[in-house]
Amino acid sequence: MISIKSEREIELLRIAGSIVGETHNYLKQYLKPGITTKEIDELARDFIISKGATPSCYHYEGYPANICISVNDEVVHGIASKRKLKDGDIVTLDICACYKGYHGDSAWTYAVGNISDEKKYLMEHTEKALFEGLSVIKNGIHVGDIGYAVEQYALAHHLGVVKELVGHGVGNQLHEDPEVPNYGHKGTGPLLKSGMVIAVEPMLNLGTADVYLLDDDWTVVTADGEPSAHFEHTILITDDGYEILTKR
Ligand code: MF3
Ligand code: CO
């Protein structure tokens, strides 16, 4: 079932989303060569807590860190460690915060120092794929309309579309119905209505779409070792469009 949020719930989702956006803004300045992913994770935790929220990922299904930090060929759910960021890396921060029982969820990929033109291309077009997907959203569309828009854009730019991981509804649970794949056909899938809240999150690869799970049971990496990017916003569907809840 896809829930329609009440005004009160939407207000809490706006606050949770804005805390996530602020956390991104805050962490950006630290993404320099030499910082460890563990240090970034702790900065995120302390910032989220200072805003009266909690990191939703912490202990979610046993997840052992506060946010997800994925470097280069890591697609999602990278776990903070002693690993140091290096010049030329790209790093995705996937940040979820819970405020008074309601969640916000947003991922963004950042450059560390000077990155290759290929990585710039991947980041630019993955961000654009997110906004292509968002551009079709309004009351009365189908989930497949979003996936279609994202996939067509990605394919036109020769990027691999990760299929194993999908966007999702957001509310008093981090992951709610519906699933929001980054592929699909127009006019298919669940109907979306004003008052629903979803996370749209293309994960695109510079190489093939294939991914696999590391032995840590969390980190998903590309099969060919090529880099991957991930851009995600939590949005509220409105009568004639959408409102980004995880604004920067
Ligand atoms: N934004 C991530 C997702 O939607 C949140 C994962 S929390 C984790 O998959 F605990 F599973 F890492
Ligand atoms: Co998500």
Side-chain angles (χ1 to χ4, degrees):
M1 208 226 12
I2 311 177
S3 65
I4 307 258
K5 270 66 181 181
S6 67
E7 267 313 315
R8 171 186 164 273
E9 290 181 298
I10 290 169
E11 208 33 63
L12 294 174
L13 286 160
R14 279 197 187 102
I15 297 171
S18 75
I19 292 169
V20 170
E22 278 183 77
T23 310
H24 273 285
N25 276 341
Y26 169 72
L27 292 175
K28 233 171 14 194
Q29 63 186 310
Y30 293 102
L31 303 177
K32 301 266 165 63
I35 192 167
T36 68
T37 56
K38 180 90 181 154
E39 286 165 336
I40 299 165
D41 186 72
E42 288 170 355
L43 287 165
R45 176 199 60 204
D46 293 348
F47 186 85
I48 290 167
I49 289 171
S50 79
K51 298 290 164 184
T54 54
S56 316
C57 289
Y58 185 67
H59 286 182
Y60 179 91
E61 293 182 6
Y63 186 73
N66 296 288
I67 63 170
C68 301
I69 306 178
S70 307
V71 182
N72 296 333
D73 61 321
E74 296 175 348
V75 180
V76 291
H77 303 164
I79 299 170
S81 70
K82 288 185 293 195
R83 178 180 188 161
K84 285 188 169 131
L85 295 183
K86 298 192 311 290
D87 186 60
D89 284 346
I90 57 172
V91 59
T92 300
L93 306 183
D94 190 351
I95 303 174
C96 303
C98 182
Y99 181 78
K100 296 192 176 167
Y102 285 81
H103 298 268
D105 183 2
S106 177
W108 217 254
T109 303
Y110 300 94
V112 180
N114 292 306
I115 61 168
S116 67
D117 288 345
E118 287 82 6
K119 283 178 170 171
K120 280 184 196 152
Y121 177 92
L122 170 69
M123 284 174 57
E124 176 188 341
H125 292 297
T126 307
E127 181 176 350
K128 285 190 176 151
L130 166 62
F131 285 96
E132 282 291 308
L134 294 177
S135 71
V136 303
I137 294 179
K138 61 179 181 193
N139 181 50
I141 69 148
H142 290 264
V143 166
D145 298 335
I146 302 171
Y148 179 81
V150 171
E151 185 178 32
Q152 292 309 307
Y153 185 87
L155 295 180
H157 292 84
H158 312 287
L159 296 171
V161 179
V162 176
K163 307 281 199 311
E164 287 80 353
L165 299 143
V166 295
H168 49 90
V170 180
N172 56 14
Q173 305 295 319
L174 179 58
H175 293 137
E176 299 187 353
D177 288 341
E179 291 194 343
V180 184
N182 296 302
Y183 55 89
H185 298 283
K186 284 186 192 175
T188 65
L191 186 65
L192 295 175
K193 299 208 183 100
S194 302
M196 292 177 176
V197 172
I198 59 170
V200 179
E201 49 178 316
M203 288 147 269
L204 303 184
N205 300 344
L206 201 48
T208 68
D210 301 335
V211 298
Y212 69 93
L213 184 64
L214 294 187
D215 285 342
D216 65 14
D217 272 343
W218 280 104
T219 313
V220 175
V221 298
T222 60
D224 58 11
E226 292 289 334
S228 185
H230 183 191
F231 288 80
E232 171 184 34
H233 271 311
T234 302
I235 62 103
L236 166 71
I237 299 167
T238 62
D239 291 345
D240 49 11
Y242 63 92
E243 175 187 332
I244 295 178
L245 300 178
T246 44
K247 280 197 270 283
R248 299 296 180 269

